[in-house]
Amino acid sequence: MAKKKVATKLEKEHLSKVQSLGCLICGSPAICHHIRNRGDRKGNIGFGNRANHYEVIPLCPSHHVGAFSIHNCKQQFEAMYGTEHEMLRKTLKEIENLEEANNFFNYNKGENNGWNERWTFWGCI
């Protein structure tokens, strides 16, 4: 059996961000699904060639391994919700948007930089 890859600190942070997004389908609390659409593009990636920890999408347990899930009826699942690569692109875009929002709200940590004066001037505070 292939040796399990241990996630680095950065990979763990990424996995945490992905999980915090919630299920791409229903918004419920999510777990990370490592995409399998690699190798021959049919999900057959070969023994020991697991997707890396950056190629993950957030899915709730029901959409991950439930009766109608990506693991149990992949073709129907992808026909309804898109391919794993499309969902991966959506996930990465949502993380990018989340980081931009966090950067915007954390801009003033430690320094004023005139932020309060600008917002007060425009009547926002």
Side-chain angles (χ1 to χ4, degrees):
M1 189 153 93
K3 186 177 179 181
K4 187 175 179 180
K5 297 177 184 175
V6 178
T8 65
K9 181 182 177 187
L10 289 176
E11 289 171 330
K12 287 178 185 177
E13 288 174 6
H14 178 74
L15 291 169
S16 179
K17 288 177 189 175
V18 170
Q19 192 173 0
S20 74
L21 295 174
C23 179
L24 282 180
I25 310 305
C26 65
S28 298
I31 54 178
C32 292
H33 165 72
H34 288 80
I35 67 169
R36 295 285 183 174
N37 203 2
R38 296 176 57 203
D40 64 1
R41 295 288 179 202
K42 296 179 185 174
N44 302 317
I45 60 174
F47 186 72
N49 291 328
R50 180 179 178 190
N52 69 49
H53 294 301
Y54 292 104
E55 296 175 316
V56 294
I57 57 175
L59 295 173
C60 66
S62 178
H63 286 112
H64 189 218
V65 292
F68 181 74
S69 67
I70 199 161
H71 279 286
N72 290 325
C73 16
K74 185 174 181 169
Q75 289 179 338
Q76 294 88 348
F77 184 90
E78 288 189 338
M80 285 188 76
Y81 304 117
T83 67
E84 288 182 310
H85 282 281
E86 291 168 345
M87 289 187 275
L88 177 62
R89 280 192 295 275
K90 181 179 178 182
T91 299
L92 295 175
K93 186 66 179 166
E94 286 187 26
I95 288 174
E96 182 181 316
N97 292 341
L98 181 66
E99 288 175 348
E100 286 177 7
N102 285 339
N103 289 340
F104 175 78
F105 287 109
N106 290 329
Y107 174 71
N108 280 335
K109 274 195 172 170
E111 293 183 23
N112 189 3
N113 293 324
W115 185 83
N116 286 336
E117 288 83 4
R118 285 194 297 271
W119 284 98
T120 304
F121 174 77
W122 293 103
C124 296
I125 296 181

